[in-house]
Amino acid sequence: MSLIRLRCPRPRKREIAVKDYVYRTVRPRSLTRDVLRLRVDFFDVVDRRRTRRNFGAVSERQLSSFLWWTAFTRMAVRQKSGFILEYRPTPSAGGRHPVDLMIVRRQGSRWRAWLYEPMTHHLLLLDVRYQLLCRLVEQANQLVSVKRATIIWFVSQPERTASKYVNSESLVWRDAGVLIGHMALVAEALELSFCPLGTTGEPIVSTLLGGGGQVAGVGGCLLGSA
């Protein structure tokens, strides 16, 4: 196997204005801010972290806590370029945070997909084709038995990073890697089961969400109660 050699990123002399892709959403749902904060030692969490594949259903409070400690925006600052710089628990190249989170879980007998909104701590119900959503679930299930897990798909908007950097492709992938590593530690601290997915979710993610090439899947994970 030969390693794909991506070009070396470098900051642009002048940032490029970029417009985010606007997802097709139906209605928002607020998540509780009464999040779990277990008294655990950070180094104990690092020591015992394991990939765990026994997935019970995640409660609303557990999901809210997980998203709060991994992706909720702590502070936002509008720059001269107009870009809103966000400070979240994970580092991101240029503070661009190109990875959005699509939350897929059962609601009754059907799968539903929500977009996590990190500034408001809301879930926005996505208007997507059900057959395609089921195909995306099956793609995950072919790798790891989903059972009652919540699936979190990473959806990139690479133009956010490209607005700040030339040759920005590798930075988007590195952002996704930092995020999934941080999630693994948070899941362990919250006593949840967590398993990264090797698949990117493509081409189903981009077809499901539309966007004309503005969005693409860059991985995902399974989250469940222990």
Side-chain angles (χ1 to χ4, degrees), residues 134-149:
C134 289
R135 281 178 56 194
L136 190 58
V137 172
E138 182 55 31
Q139 188 177 105
N141 198 54
Q142 288 173 0
L143 298 172
V144 182
S145 180
V146 171
K147 300 174 186 174
R148 300 170 70 193

Side-chain angles (χ1 to χ4, degrees), residues 99-102 136 151-156 173 176 180 196-202 205 216-221:
V99 179
D100 296 328
L101 301 180
M102 178 169 61
L136 190 58
I151 310 171
I152 302 175
W153 288 103
F154 291 6
V155 183
S156 69
W173 289 106
I180 209 161
L197 292 171
T199 180
T200 65
E202 283 300 305
V205 167
V218 287
C221 57

Side-chain angles (χ1 to χ4, degrees), residues 149-167:
T150 292
I151 310 171
I152 302 175
W153 288 103
F154 291 6
V155 183
S156 69
Q157 295 208 40
E159 291 304 313
R160 291 178 188 163
T161 307
S163 70
K164 174 78 174 178
Y165 296 95
V166 176
N167 303 330

